[in-house]
Amino acid sequence: KKQLFVEGIRCDQDNISLYFRLCDALSAGETVTLHDGRVLDKKQLLLEAIRCNPGSSSAYINLGFTLDADGAVQLYDGRVLDRRQLFIEGIHAGVVKKRSFGFIALAITLTPKEKVSLIDGRTLSSRQLLLEAFAGDLDTRLTHVAGIDHAASIARLGEVGALLEADCA
């Protein structure tokens, strides 16, 4: 299956869907060799997805999940973004149906009293970010995010209740 995606990328290097699918097919820590000789892991495949489509909300959010809490990555445009900044980029770039996961991911990175500034100028607390996320149908939004370990990410949502309680106190 992975080799089919590699072959697809050889034929169409700008097909973002192929990078997402190949990323999703890799296990944590696994790499794949493309026909041009590059050896890429999940993070590098998502960077390629961003190169193909800098407006892809899912690519930024998924890339954020590949980083440790204090990690950062350099994009092809030269910017160096940490995990929070990638989630903010994903929220900004996203169409409405894909932004909810970015709001949740960003909320989980905040301490209860901390706030974060979004690209649109709003400064939101974790509670406000979660309210933004839950403004629509979350179940359908979560199914649109590809290339990350959903079980691990969703398991972290257990922190959401604590965030809401602490922010309301």
Side-chain angles (χ1 to χ4, degrees):
K1 182 176 178 181
K2 294 173 202 164
Q3 284 310 117
L4 290 174
F5 297 134
V6 169
E7 182 62 23
I9 290 170
R10 184 184 70 77
C11 295
D12 185 1
Q13 292 185 350
D14 293 327
N15 186 329
I16 189 172
S17 178
L18 293 171
Y19 291 102
F20 274 120
R21 290 181 182 189
L22 183 54
C23 180
D24 199 36
L26 292 182
S27 302
E30 187 178 6
T31 60
V32 63
T33 303
L34 299 184
H35 284 286
D36 62 8
R38 291 181 297 155
V39 179
L40 304 180
D41 60 11
K42 285 180 168 277
K43 182 181 352 179
Q44 293 160 325
L45 287 167
L46 291 167
L47 283 167
E48 284 295 313
I50 292 170
R51 179 193 58 77
C52 293
N53 181 0
S56 171
S57 175
S58 297
Y60 289 105
I61 294 168
N62 291 335
L63 183 56
F65 278 111
T66 68
L67 298 179
D68 295 328
D70 58 350
V73 64
Q74 183 170 1
L75 303 181
Y76 285 109
D77 65 9
R79 293 181 296 156
V80 177
L81 302 180
D82 64 21
R83 191 175 196 183
R84 281 187 187 173
Q85 291 167 322
L86 287 166
F87 294 150
I88 291 169
E89 281 292 321
I91 291 167
H92 176 69
V95 293
V96 173
K97 69 180 183 178
K98 295 188 180 186
R99 292 171 45 163
S100 290
F101 204 69
F103 283 118
I104 293 169
L106 186 56
I108 290 173
T109 70
L110 299 179
T111 61
K113 299 295 181 190
E114 192 174 11
K115 292 187 177 196
V116 65
S117 295
L118 301 181
I119 292 172
D120 65 9
R122 293 182 295 161
T123 301
L124 303 176
S125 68
S126 57
R127 179 177 180 272
Q128 292 166 318
L129 289 166
L130 293 172
L131 290 172
E132 288 283 336
F134 291 109
D137 179 10
L138 181 61
D139 290 336
T140 59
R141 287 167 170 66
L142 289 176
T143 62
H144 291 286
V145 181
I148 62 168
D149 180 358
H150 291 290
S153 299
I154 292 170
R156 293 196 64 208
L157 292 180
E159 300 172 30
V160 169
L163 287 172
L164 284 171
E165 287 178 20
D167 198 46
C168 292

